[in-house]
Coordinates of all heavy atoms in Angstrom, one line a residue:
M1 N 74.1 39.8 113.7 CA 75.5 39.4 113.7 C 75.7 38.6 115.0 O 76.1 39.2 116.0 CB 76.5 40.6 113.5 CG 76.1 41.4 112.3 SD 76.0 40.5 110.8 CE 77.7 40.3 110.4
T2 N 75.4 37.3 115.0 CA 75.3 36.5 116.2 C 76.5 36.3 116.9 O 76.5 36.1 118.1 CB 74.8 35.1 115.8 OG1 75.8 34.5 114.9 CG2 73.4 35.2 115.1
K3 N 77.7 36.6 116.4 CA 78.9 36.5 117.2 C 79.5 37.8 117.7 O 80.6 37.8 118.2 CB 80.0 35.7 116.3 CG 79.5 34.2 116.1 CD 80.6 33.4 115.4 CE 80.3 32.0 115.3 NZ 81.2 31.1 114.8
G4 N 78.7 38.8 117.3 CA 79.1 40.2 117.9 C 80.2 40.8 117.2 O 80.5 40.6 116.0
S5 N 80.9 41.7 117.9 CA 81.9 42.5 117.3 C 83.3 41.6 117.3 O 83.4 40.7 118.1 CB 82.2 43.8 118.1 OG 82.8 43.5 119.3
L6 N 84.2 42.1 116.5 CA 85.5 41.4 116.5 C 86.1 41.5 117.9 O 86.8 40.6 118.3 CB 86.4 42.1 115.4 CG 87.8 41.4 115.3 CD1 87.7 40.0 114.9 CD2 88.6 42.2 114.3
D7 N 86.0 42.6 118.5 CA 86.5 42.9 119.9 C 86.0 41.8 120.8 O 86.8 41.1 121.5 CB 86.2 44.2 120.3 CG 86.9 44.5 121.7 OD1 88.1 44.4 121.8 OD2 86.1 44.9 122.6
S8 N 84.7 41.5 120.9 CA 84.3 40.5 121.9 C 84.6 39.1 121.3 O 84.9 38.3 122.2 CB 82.7 40.8 122.0 OG 82.1 40.5 120.9
Y9 N 84.6 38.9 120.0 CA 84.9 37.6 119.5 C 86.3 37.1 119.9 O 86.5 36.1 120.2 CB 84.7 37.6 118.0 CG 85.0 36.4 117.3 CD1 84.0 35.4 117.3 CD2 86.1 36.1 116.6 CE1 84.2 34.2 116.7 CE2 86.4 34.9 116.0 CZ 85.4 33.9 116.0 OH 85.7 32.8 115.4
L10 N 87.2 38.1 119.7 CA 88.7 37.8 120.0 C 88.8 37.5 121.6 O 89.6 36.8 121.9 CB 89.6 38.9 119.6 CG 89.7 39.0 118.1 CD1 90.5 40.2 117.7 CD2 90.2 37.7 117.4
K11 N 88.0 38.2 122.3 CA 88.1 37.9 123.8 C 87.5 36.6 124.2 O 88.0 35.9 125.0 CB 87.4 39.0 124.6 CG 88.1 40.3 124.5 CD 87.3 41.4 125.2 CE 88.0 42.7 125.1 NZ 87.2 43.9 125.5
Q12 N 86.5 36.2 123.4 CA 85.9 34.8 123.7 C 86.8 33.7 123.0 O 86.6 32.5 123.4 CB 84.5 34.8 123.1 CG 83.5 35.7 123.8 CD 82.2 35.9 123.0 OE1 82.0 35.2 122.0 NE2 81.4 36.8 123.4
Q13 N 87.5 34.1 122.0 CA 88.3 33.1 121.3 C 89.8 33.3 121.3 O 90.4 33.6 120.4 CB 87.9 33.0 119.8 CG 86.5 32.8 119.6 CD 86.0 31.3 119.9 OE1 86.8 30.4 119.7 NE2 84.7 31.2 120.3
P14 N 90.4 33.3 122.5 CA 91.8 33.7 122.6 C 92.8 32.8 122.0 O 93.9 33.2 121.7 CB 92.0 33.8 124.2 CG 91.0 32.8 124.7 CD 89.9 32.9 123.8
D15 N 92.4 31.6 121.5 CA 93.3 30.7 121.0 C 93.1 30.4 119.5 O 93.2 29.2 119.1 CB 93.3 29.4 121.8 CG 93.7 29.6 123.2 OD1 94.7 30.3 123.5 OD2 93.1 28.9 124.1
L16 N 92.8 31.5 118.7 CA 92.6 31.3 117.3 C 93.8 30.7 116.6 O 94.9 31.2 116.9 CB 92.2 32.6 116.7 CG 90.8 33.1 117.0 CD1 90.6 34.5 116.4 CD2 89.6 32.1 116.6
S17 N 93.7 29.8 115.7 CA 94.8 29.4 115.0 C 95.3 30.4 113.9 O 94.6 31.5 113.7 CB 94.4 28.1 114.2 OG 93.5 28.5 113.1
T18 N 96.5 30.2 113.5 CA 97.1 31.2 112.5 C 96.2 31.2 111.3 O 95.9 32.4 110.8 CB 98.5 30.8 112.1 OG1 99.3 30.9 113.4 CG2 99.1 31.6 111.1
P19 N 95.7 30.1 110.7 CA 94.8 30.2 109.5 C 93.5 31.0 109.9 O 93.1 31.8 109.0 CB 94.4 28.8 109.3 CG 95.7 28.0 109.7 CD 96.0 28.7 110.9
Q20 N 93.0 30.9 111.1 CA 91.8 31.7 111.4 C 92.1 33.2 111.5 O 91.4 34.1 111.1 CB 91.2 31.3 112.8 CG 90.6 29.9 112.7 CD 90.2 29.3 114.1 OE1 91.1 29.3 115.0 NE2 89.0 29.0 114.3
K21 N 93.2 33.5 112.1 CA 93.7 34.9 112.2 C 93.9 35.5 110.8 O 93.6 36.7 110.5 CB 94.9 35.1 113.0 CG 94.7 34.7 114.5 CD 96.0 34.7 115.2 CE 95.9 34.3 116.6 NZ 97.2 34.2 117.4
L22 N 94.5 34.7 109.9 CA 94.8 35.2 108.6 C 93.5 35.4 107.8 O 93.4 36.4 107.0 CB 95.7 34.2 107.8 CG 97.1 34.1 108.3 CD1 97.9 33.0 107.7 CD2 97.9 35.5 108.0
D23 N 92.5 34.5 108.0 CA 91.2 34.7 107.4 C 90.6 36.0 107.8 O 89.9 36.7 107.0 CB 90.3 33.4 107.7 CG 88.9 33.6 106.9 OD1 89.0 33.7 105.7 OD2 87.9 33.5 107.6
I24 N 90.6 36.3 109.1 CA 90.0 37.5 109.6 C 90.7 38.7 109.0 O 90.0 39.6 108.5 CB 90.1 37.5 111.2 CG1 89.2 36.5 111.9 CG2 89.9 39.0 111.7 CD1 89.4 36.4 113.3
S25 N 92.0 38.7 108.9 CA 92.8 39.8 108.3 C 92.4 39.9 106.8 O 92.2 41.1 106.3 CB 94.3 39.5 108.5 OG 94.6 39.5 109.8
R26 N 92.3 38.8 106.2 CA 92.0 38.8 104.7 C 90.6 39.4 104.4 O 90.4 40.1 103.5 CB 92.1 37.3 104.2 CG 91.8 37.4 102.6 CD 91.4 35.9 102.1 NE 90.2 35.3 102.8 CZ 89.0 35.8 102.7 NH1 88.6 36.7 101.8 NH2 88.0 35.1 103.4
Q27 N 89.6 39.0 105.3 CA 88.3 39.5 105.1 C 88.2 41.0 105.3 O 87.6 41.8 104.6 CB 87.3 38.9 106.1 CG 87.0 37.4 105.7 CD 85.9 36.9 106.6 OE1 84.8 37.4 106.7 NE2 86.2 35.8 107.3
I28 N 89.0 41.5 106.4 CA 88.9 42.9 106.6 C 89.6 43.7 105.5 O 89.1 44.7 105.0 CB 89.7 43.2 108.0 CG1 88.9 42.7 109.1 CG2 89.9 44.8 108.1 CD1 89.7 42.6 110.4
A29 N 90.8 43.2 105.0 CA 91.4 43.8 103.9 C 90.5 43.8 102.7 O 90.5 44.8 101.9 CB 92.8 43.1 103.6
S30 N 89.9 42.7 102.3 CA 89.0 42.6 101.2 C 87.9 43.6 101.3 O 87.5 44.2 100.3 CB 88.5 41.2 101.1 OG 87.5 41.0 100.0
D31 N 87.3 43.7 102.5 CA 86.2 44.7 102.7 C 86.6 46.2 102.5 O 86.0 47.0 101.8 CB 85.5 44.6 104.0 CG 84.7 43.3 104.2 OD1 84.6 42.6 103.1 OD2 84.3 43.0 105.3
I32 N 87.8 46.4 103.0 CA 88.3 47.9 102.8 C 88.7 48.1 101.4 O 88.4 49.2 100.9 CB 89.6 48.0 103.8 CG1 89.1 48.1 105.2 CG2 90.2 49.4 103.5 CD1 90.2 48.1 106.2
K33 N 89.3 47.1 100.8 CA 89.6 47.4 99.3 C 88.3 47.5 98.5 O 88.3 48.5 97.7 CB 90.3 46.1 98.8 CG 90.6 46.0 97.3 CD 91.3 44.8 96.9 CE 91.8 44.8 95.5 NZ 90.7 44.5 94.5
Y34 N 87.3 46.8 98.8 CA 86.0 47.1 98.1 C 85.5 48.5 98.3 O 85.1 49.2 97.3 CB 85.0 46.0 98.6 CG 83.6 46.3 98.0 CD1 83.3 46.0 96.6 CD2 82.7 46.9 98.7 CE1 82.1 46.3 96.1 CE2 81.4 47.2 98.2 CZ 81.1 46.9 96.9 OH 79.8 47.2 96.3
L35 N 85.5 48.9 99.6 CA 85.1 50.2 99.9 C 85.9 51.3 99.2 O 85.2 52.3 98.5 CB 85.1 50.5 101.4 CG 84.1 49.8 102.2 CD1 84.4 50.1 103.7 CD2 82.6 50.1 101.9
H36 N 87.2 51.1 99.2 CA 88.0 52.1 98.5 C 87.8 52.1 97.0 O 87.9 53.2 96.4 CB 89.4 51.9 98.8 CG 89.8 52.3 100.2 ND1 91.1 52.1 100.8 CD2 89.0 52.6 101.3 CE1 91.1 52.6 102.0 NE2 89.8 52.8 102.3
E37 N 87.5 50.9 96.4 CA 87.2 50.9 94.9 C 85.9 51.6 94.6 O 85.7 52.1 93.6 CB 87.1 49.4 94.5 CG 88.5 48.8 94.5 CD 88.3 47.2 94.1 OE1 87.1 46.7 94.2 OE2 89.4 46.6 93.9
M38 N 85.0 51.8 95.7 CA 83.7 52.5 95.5 C 83.9 53.9 95.9 O 82.9 54.6 96.1 CB 82.6 51.8 96.3 CG 82.3 50.4 95.9 SD 81.6 50.3 94.3 CE 82.8 49.3 93.4
D39 N 85.1 54.4 96.2 CA 85.4 55.7 96.6 C 84.7 56.1 98.0 O 84.3 57.1 98.2 CB 85.0 56.8 95.6 CG 85.9 56.7 94.4 OD1 87.1 56.3 94.6 OD2 85.4 57.1 93.2
I40 N 84.8 55.0 98.8 CA 84.2 55.2 100.2 C 85.3 55.0 101.2 O 86.1 54.0 101.0 CB 83.1 54.2 100.5 CG1 82.0 54.4 99.5 CG2 82.6 54.2 101.9 CD1 80.9 53.3 99.6
I41 N 85.5 55.9 102.1 CA 86.5 55.8 103.1 C 85.7 55.6 104.4 O 84.9 56.5 104.7 CB 87.3 57.1 103.2 CG1 88.1 57.2 101.9 CG2 88.3 57.0 104.4 CD1 88.9 58.5 101.8
H42 N 85.9 54.6 105.2 CA 85.2 54.4 106.4 C 85.4 55.5 107.4 O 84.6 56.2 107.9 CB 85.4 53.0 107.0 CG 84.6 52.7 108.2 ND1 84.9 53.3 109.4 CD2 83.6 51.8 108.3 CE1 83.8 52.8 110.2 NE2 83.1 51.9 109.6
G43 N 86.7 55.8 107.6 CA 87.1 57.0 108.4 C 87.2 56.7 109.9 O 87.7 57.5 110.6
D44 N 86.5 55.6 110.4 CA 86.5 55.4 111.9 C 86.5 53.8 112.2 O 85.7 53.5 113.0 CB 85.4 56.1 112.5 CG 85.5 56.3 114.0 OD1 86.7 56.2 114.5 OD2 84.4 56.4 114.7
L45 N 87.3 53.1 111.5 CA 87.2 51.7 111.7 C 87.9 51.3 112.8 O 89.1 51.6 113.1 CB 87.8 51.0 110.5 CG 87.6 49.5 110.4 CD1 86.2 49.1 110.3 CD2 88.3 48.9 109.1
T46 N 87.2 50.5 113.8 CA 87.9 49.9 115.0 C 87.3 48.4 115.1 O 86.5 48.0 114.5 CB 87.5 50.7 116.3 OG1 86.0 50.5 116.5 CG2 87.8 52.2 116.2
Q47 N 87.9 47.8 116.1 CA 87.5 46.4 116.2 C 86.1 46.2 116.7 O 85.5 45.2 116.5 CB 88.5 45.7 117.2 CG 88.2 46.0 118.7 CD 88.9 47.3 119.1 OE1 89.4 48.1 118.2 NE2 89.0 47.6 120.4
T48 N 85.5 47.2 117.2 CA 84.0 47.2 117.7 C 83.1 47.5 116.5 O 81.9 47.2 116.6 CB 83.8 48.1 118.8 OG1 84.1 49.5 118.3 CG2 84.7 47.8 120.0
K49 N 83.7 47.9 115.3 CA 82.8 48.2 114.2 C 83.0 47.1 113.1 O 82.6 47.3 111.9 CB 83.2 49.6 113.7 CG 82.8 50.6 114.7 CD 83.2 52.0 114.3 CE 82.9 53.0 115.5 NZ 83.3 54.3 115.1
I50 N 83.5 46.0 113.4 CA 83.7 44.8 112.6 C 82.8 43.7 113.2 O 83.1 43.4 114.4 CB 85.1 44.4 112.5 CG1 86.0 45.5 111.8 CG2 85.2 43.1 111.6 CD1 87.5 45.2 111.8
L51 N 81.7 43.4 112.6 CA 80.8 42.4 113.2 C 81.0 41.0 112.5 O 81.4 41.0 111.3 CB 79.4 43.0 113.0 CG 79.1 44.3 113.6 CD1 77.7 44.8 113.4 CD2 79.5 44.4 115.1
I52 N 80.6 40.0 113.3 CA 80.7 38.6 112.7 C 79.5 37.9 112.8 O 78.8 37.9 113.9 CB 81.9 37.9 113.6 CG1 83.2 38.8 113.6 CG2 82.1 36.5 113.0 CD1 84.2 38.2 114.5
N53 N 79.1 37.3 111.7 CA 77.8 36.5 111.7 C 78.1 35.0 112.2 O 79.2 34.7 112.4 CB 77.2 36.5 110.3 CG 77.9 35.8 109.3 OD1 78.7 35.0 109.4 ND2 77.5 36.1 108.0
G54 N 77.1 34.2 112.1 CA 77.1 32.8 112.5 C 78.1 31.9 111.6 O 78.5 30.9 112.1
D55 N 78.4 32.4 110.5 CA 79.3 31.6 109.6 C 80.7 32.2 109.5 O 81.4 32.0 108.7 CB 78.7 31.7 108.2 CG 77.3 31.0 107.9 OD1 77.2 30.0 108.7 OD2 76.5 31.5 107.2
D56 N 81.0 33.0 110.6 CA 82.3 33.7 110.7 C 82.7 34.6 109.6 O 83.8 34.8 109.2 CB 83.4 32.6 110.9 CG 83.4 31.9 112.2 OD1 82.8 32.4 113.2 OD2 83.8 30.7 112.3
K57 N 81.7 35.2 108.9 CA 81.9 36.2 108.0 C 81.8 37.5 108.6 O 80.9 37.9 109.4 CB 80.8 36.1 106.9 CG 80.8 34.8 106.1 CD 82.1 34.6 105.5 CE 82.1 33.1 104.8 NZ 83.4 32.6 104.6
L58 N 82.8 38.4 108.2 CA 82.9 39.7 108.8 C 82.2 40.8 108.0 O 82.2 40.7 106.8 CB 84.4 40.1 109.0 CG 85.2 39.6 110.1 CD1 85.2 38.1 110.2 CD2 86.6 40.2 110.2
C59 N 81.6 41.8 108.7 CA 80.9 42.8 108.0 C 81.4 44.2 108.7 O 81.3 44.2 110.0 CB 79.5 42.6 108.2 SG 78.8 41.2 107.3
L60 N 81.8 45.2 108.0 CA 82.1 46.5 108.4 C 80.8 47.2 108.8 O 79.8 47.1 108.0 CB 83.0 47.2 107.5 CG 84.3 46.5 107.1 CD1 85.0 47.5 106.1 CD2 85.1 46.0 108.2
A61 N 80.8 48.0 109.9 CA 79.5 48.7 110.3 C 79.9 50.1 110.6 O 81.1 50.5 110.8 CB 79.0 47.9 111.5
D62 N 78.8 50.9 110.9 CA 79.0 52.2 111.4 C 79.7 53.1 110.4 O 80.9 53.5 110.6 CB 79.6 52.3 112.8 CG 79.5 53.8 113.4 OD1 78.9 54.7 112.7 OD2 80.0 53.8 114.5
F63 N 79.0 53.5 109.3 CA 79.6 54.3 108.3 C 79.2 55.9 108.5 O 79.2 56.6 107.5 CB 79.1 53.9 107.0 CG 79.7 52.6 106.5 CD1 79.3 51.4 107.0 CD2 80.9 52.6 105.6 CE1 79.9 50.2 106.6 CE2 81.5 51.5 105.3 CZ 81.0 50.3 105.7
G64 N 78.9 56.3 109.8 CA 78.5 57.6 110.0 C 79.5 58.6 109.5 O 79.2 59.6 108.9
L65 N 80.8 58.5 109.8 CA 81.9 59.4 109.4 C 82.0 59.5 107.9 O 82.2 60.4 107.2 CB 83.2 59.1 110.0 CG 84.3 60.1 109.9 CD1 83.8 61.5 110.3 CD2 85.5 59.7 110.7
S66 N 81.8 58.3 107.1 CA 82.0 58.2 105.7 C 80.9 59.1 105.2 O 81.1 59.7 104.0 CB 82.0 56.9 105.2 OG 80.8 56.2 105.4
M67 N 79.6 59.0 105.7 CA 78.5 59.9 105.2 C 78.8 61.3 105.3 O 78.5 62.1 104.4 CB 77.3 59.5 105.9 CG 76.8 58.0 105.6 SD 76.5 57.7 103.8 CE 77.5 56.3 103.6
I68 N 79.3 61.6 106.5 CA 79.7 63.1 106.6 C 80.7 63.6 105.6 O 80.6 64.6 105.0 CB 80.3 63.3 108.0 CG1 79.2 63.1 109.1 CG2 80.9 64.7 108.2 CD1 79.7 63.0 110.6
L69 N 81.7 62.7 105.3 CA 82.8 63.1 104.4 C 82.1 63.2 103.0 O 82.4 64.1 102.1 CB 83.9 62.0 104.3 CG 84.8 62.0 105.5 CD1 85.7 60.8 105.5 CD2 85.6 63.3 105.6
A70 N 81.2 62.3 102.6 CA 80.5 62.3 101.3 C 79.7 63.6 101.1 O 79.7 64.2 100.1 CB 79.7 61.0 101.1
E71 N 79.0 63.9 102.2 CA 78.2 65.1 102.2 C 78.9 66.4 102.1 O 78.5 67.4 101.6 CB 77.1 65.1 103.3 CG 76.1 63.9 103.2 CD 75.2 64.0 104.4 OE1 75.3 64.8 105.3 OE2 74.4 62.9 104.5
S72 N 80.1 66.5 102.7 CA 80.9 67.6 102.7 C 81.5 67.9 101.4 O 82.0 68.9 101.1 CB 82.0 67.5 103.8 OG 83.0 66.6 103.4
G73 N 81.6 66.8 100.5 CA 82.3 67.0 99.3 C 83.8 66.9 99.3 O 84.5 67.2 98.3
N74 N 84.3 66.6 100.5 CA 85.8 66.5 100.6 C 86.1 65.2 101.3 O 86.2 64.9 102.4 CB 86.2 67.7 101.6 CG 87.7 67.6 101.8 OD1 88.4 67.0 101.2 ND2 88.2 68.5 102.8
P75 N 86.4 64.2 100.4 CA 86.7 62.8 100.8 C 88.1 62.6 101.2 O 88.5 61.5 101.5 CB 86.3 62.1 99.5 CG 86.8 62.9 98.4 CD 86.3 64.3 98.9
T76 N 88.9 63.7 101.2 CA 90.3 63.5 101.7 C 90.5 63.6 103.1 O 89.8 64.4 103.8 CB 91.1 64.5 100.9 OG1 90.8 65.8 101.2 CG2 91.1 64.3 99.4
F77 N 91.6 63.1 103.6 CA 92.0 63.1 105.0 C 93.0 64.4 105.1 O 93.9 64.4 104.3 CB 92.6 61.9 105.5 CG 91.6 60.9 105.8 CD1 91.3 60.0 104.7 CD2 91.0 60.7 107.0 CE1 90.4 58.9 105.0 CE2 90.1 59.7 107.2 CZ 89.8 58.8 106.2
D78 N 92.8 65.2 106.1 CA 93.7 66.2 106.3 C 93.9 66.4 107.8 O 93.4 65.6 108.6 CB 93.3 67.5 105.7 CG 92.1 68.1 106.2 OD1 91.6 67.8 107.3 OD2 91.4 68.9 105.4
S79 N 94.7 67.4 108.3 CA 94.9 67.5 109.6 C 93.8 67.8 110.5 O 93.9 67.7 111.7 CB 96.1 68.5 109.9 OG 95.5 69.8 109.4
C80 N 92.7 68.2 109.9 CA 91.5 68.5 110.7 C 90.5 67.4 110.7 O 89.4 67.5 111.2 CB 90.7 69.8 110.0 SG 91.9 71.2 110.1
H81 N 90.8 66.3 109.9 CA 89.9 65.2 109.9 C 89.8 64.4 111.1 O 90.9 64.1 111.7 CB 90.3 64.3 108.7 CG 89.5 63.1 108.5 ND1 88.2 63.1 108.1 CD2 89.6 61.8 109.0 CE1 87.7 61.9 108.2 NE2 88.6 61.1 108.6
G82 N 88.6 64.1 111.6 CA 88.5 63.3 112.7 C 88.6 61.8 112.4 O 88.8 61.5 111.2
G83 N 88.5 61.0 113.3 CA 88.7 59.5 113.1 C 89.5 59.0 114.3 O 90.0 59.7 115.1
N84 N 89.6 57.7 114.1 CA 90.4 57.0 115.3 C 91.8 56.8 114.9 O 92.1 55.9 114.1 CB 89.6 55.7 115.5 CG 90.1 55.0 116.8 OD1 91.3 55.0 117.1 ND2 89.2 54.5 117.6
V85 N 92.6 57.6 115.4 CA 94.1 57.7 115.1 C 94.7 56.3 115.3 O 95.5 55.9 114.5 CB 94.8 58.8 115.9 CG1 96.3 58.8 115.6 CG2 94.2 60.1 115.5
R86 N 94.3 55.7 116.4 CA 94.9 54.2 116.7 C 94.7 53.4 115.6 O 95.5 52.5 115.3 CB 94.3 53.8 118.0 CG 94.9 52.4 118.4 CD 94.4 52.1 119.7 NE 95.0 50.8 120.1 CZ 94.4 50.0 120.9 NH1 93.3 50.2 121.5 NH2 95.0 48.8 121.3
W87 N 93.7 53.4 114.8 CA 93.4 52.4 113.8 C 93.7 53.0 112.4 O 93.4 52.2 111.4 CB 91.9 52.0 113.9 CG 91.8 51.1 115.2 CD1 91.4 51.7 116.4 CD2 92.1 49.8 115.5 NE1 91.4 50.7 117.4 CE2 91.8 49.6 116.8 CE3 92.5 48.8 114.6 CZ2 92.0 48.3 117.3 CZ3 92.7 47.5 115.2 CH2 92.4 47.4 116.6
M88 N 94.1 54.2 112.2 CA 94.2 54.8 110.8 C 95.5 54.2 110.2 O 96.4 53.9 110.9 CB 94.3 56.3 110.9 CG 93.0 56.9 110.9 SD 93.4 58.8 110.9 CE 91.8 59.3 111.3
A89 N 95.4 54.1 108.9 CA 96.6 53.7 108.1 C 97.6 54.8 108.2 O 97.2 55.9 108.2 CB 96.2 53.4 106.7
V90 N 98.8 54.4 108.1 CA 99.9 55.4 108.2 C 100.7 55.3 106.8 O 101.0 54.3 106.4 CB 100.9 55.1 109.3 CG1 102.0 56.1 109.3 CG2 100.1 55.2 110.7
R91 N 100.9 56.4 106.3 CA 101.6 56.6 105.0 C 103.1 56.7 105.3 O 103.5 57.5 106.1 CB 101.2 57.7 104.2 CG 101.8 57.7 102.9 CD 101.3 59.0 102.2 NE 101.1 58.7 100.7 CZ 100.5 59.5 99.9 NH1 100.0 60.7 100.3 NH2 100.5 59.1 98.7
S92 N 104.0 55.8 104.9 CA 105.3 55.9 105.1 C 106.1 56.5 104.0 O 105.7 56.4 102.9 CB 106.0 54.5 105.4 OG 105.9 53.7 104.3
Y93 N 107.0 57.4 104.2 CA 107.8 58.1 103.3 C 109.2 57.6 103.3 O 109.7 57.5 104.4 CB 107.7 59.5 103.5 CG 106.4 60.2 103.3 CD1 105.5 60.3 104.4 CD2 105.9 60.5 102.0 CE1 104.3 60.9 104.3 CE2 104.6 61.0 101.9 CZ 103.9 61.2 102.9 OH 102.6 61.8 102.8
Q94 N 109.9 57.4 102.2 CA 111.3 57.0 102.1 C 112.1 58.2 101.5 O 111.7 58.7 100.5 CB 111.5 55.8 101.3 CG 110.9 54.6 102.1 CD 111.1 53.2 101.3 OE1 112.0 53.3 100.4 NE2 110.5 52.2 101.7
A95 N 113.2 58.4 102.1 CA 114.0 59.5 101.6 C 114.8 59.1 100.4 O 115.1 58.0 100.2 CB 114.9 60.0 102.7

């Protein structure tokens, strides 16, 4: 992954255009959607675990926590589940 992590890429490219930012967001969302369709939850996704190749294609990396979840037989998130809270999706409830 010649362009490194998303974290380092964004530091090197501080002036990305809106279309470039939207493409990055679309690729991440598409990758997560694919994983969820395969019943895989990454569980610890951060900007350092998104890698970029020479063609600006993003790849999700470091599936260690998802393997632990798969082996435990409990793919759900609960209050005891580890992961990076800053990057976790939040479920909103409406009254």
Side-chain angles (χ1 to χ4, degrees):
M1 305 312 282
T2 58
K3 294 191 178 180
S5 70
L6 181 59
D7 185 55
S8 63
Y9 181 77
L10 292 175
K11 288 175 183 172
Q12 295 168 9
Q13 306 288 332
D15 297 323
L16 290 176
S17 68
T18 298
Q20 289 171 307
K21 292 175 187 176
L22 290 172
D23 183 56
I24 288 170
S25 298
R26 182 199 54 77
Q27 287 187 60
I28 294 168
S30 176
D31 290 351
I32 292 171
K33 179 179 183 279
Y34 173 78
L35 289 175
H36 289 184
E37 288 171 350
M38 299 292 118
D39 292 327
I40 298 170
I41 298 170
H42 189 284
D44 194 22
L45 188 62
T46 66
Q47 75 278 14
T48 59
K49 296 176 183 176
I50 300 170
L51 305 177
I52 305 174
N53 71 14
D55 295 326
D56 291 333
K57 299 300 178 204
L58 277 59
C59 298
L60 304 184
D62 189 1
F63 285 82
L65 189 56
S66 66
M67 294 301 127
I68 292 169
L69 290 171
E71 290 175 9
S72 75
N74 182 5
T76 60
F77 285 90
D78 60 25
S79 61
C80 298
H81 175 73
N84 194 314
V85 175
R86 182 175 180 202
W87 295 93
M88 275 187 193
V90 177
R91 185 180 215 174
S92 64
Y93 296 94
Q94 295 185 8

